[in-house]
Amino acid sequence: MAVTVTFFYYVFLWMVLVSTWSGWLDDLLRQAGLTRGVVYLWSAGSALTVPLHVTVDGWRIGVGFYLAPFLAAWVLWARLRDADPLYGLAAALLVGMMRTLLLILLARDPVLAVLPPEWLVPLAIGALAAVVAPYAWQWLPVTLLAYGVSEPLWRWWLSAQANVRVIGDQAYADGLSVALMTAILAAGVVRTARRGISRGLRWKRTS
């Protein structure tokens, strides 16, 4: 039985809720001056607006799949404290351009894909976002911004090839969900590695 994109997107929203409830996102929320209740309301709003879309100049833009995550990323980034916003924005743009280039490259030469593109690109982008994020807890806005910035560029290129004028469809939500779940795991690995290195250096100094 095929797994639908809505399933993946709701799994991602569920992971956000669990991560918030367990305290995994407390560092990010504290830096942004937000409460857990805001995350709960955003998750519910995103789930409810999934079927909605707006049309702008002939382009169909998904509300729950594209606008809600993209606007959340900008709100997070605008409210973050004790961080270099320019470096973080540069990291998001870098990851976003990598996504666009990967999609175009694989569309032109599918033989290069060791995995199906709908899996390969999100896995690669999620891992990259967690690595280049200025702080381990900034993987979320970096990934969201990267996808939000790159999607119009990719769709503009695709519209010239196949006259597809949709931004933030189910395929986008599918890839975004996989990328964010990958980023969650990669961020945990990066955080654990950094703590291990820091403890090792302290032990070396004291020994």
Side-chain angles (χ1 to χ4, degrees):
M1 181 178 66
V3 180
T4 63
V5 61
T6 305
F7 173 81
F8 279 113
Y9 195 64
Y10 285 140
V11 167
F12 158 66
L13 292 178
W14 178 253
M15 291 184 69
V16 171
L17 291 175
V18 172
S19 299
T20 304
W21 174 78
S22 65
W24 176 262
L25 297 181
D26 281 355
D27 287 341
L28 176 61
L29 295 177
R30 184 165 50 253
Q31 288 291 329
L34 299 173
T35 64
R36 295 183 180 183
V38 173
V39 179
Y40 299 148
L41 289 175
W42 174 83
S43 300
S46 298
L48 293 175
T49 56
V50 159
L52 303 180
H53 70 274
V54 295
T55 303
V56 179
D57 196 23
W59 285 85
R60 178 172 174 169
I61 305 174
V63 175
F65 285 150
Y66 179 77
L67 292 181
F70 195 29
L71 292 177
W74 282 111
V75 170
L76 278 174
W77 207 255
R79 295 177 61 90
L80 285 177
R81 301 187 297 268
D82 299 330
D84 187 343
L86 291 180
Y87 179 86
L89 183 59
L93 292 175
L94 171 64
V95 176
M97 294 305 102
M98 285 298 299
R99 175 181 181 260
T100 303
L101 291 175
L102 275 175
L103 287 170
I104 294 176
L105 180 62
L106 294 176
R108 288 185 174 275
D109 194 354
V111 178
L112 296 175
V114 295
L115 291 172
E118 59 268 23
W119 290 101
L120 176 62
V121 175
L123 289 172
I125 296 306
L128 180 61
V131 171
V132 303
Y135 297 93
W137 40 264
Q138 289 186 3
W139 56 266
L140 178 58
V142 167
T143 307
L144 290 172
L145 282 175
Y147 261 75
V149 169
S150 65
E151 178 68 359
L153 297 176
W154 159 241
R155 292 297 180 168
W156 175 78
W157 182 88
L158 194 62
S159 68
Q161 310 299 316
N163 196 29
V164 178
R165 298 172 66 84
V166 179
I167 296 177
D169 59 1
Q170 291 183 340
Y172 171 81
D174 193 357
L176 177 61
S177 303
V178 174
L180 287 166
M181 285 185 271
T182 303
I184 289 175
L185 298 176
V189 172
V190 171
R191 178 182 293 184
T192 301
R194 287 175 176 173
R195 287 179 176 175
I197 293 174
S198 178
R199 290 175 181 175
L201 292 175
R202 286 199 300 266
W203 178 83
K204 185 176 181 180
R205 293 194 188 102
T206 58
S207 60

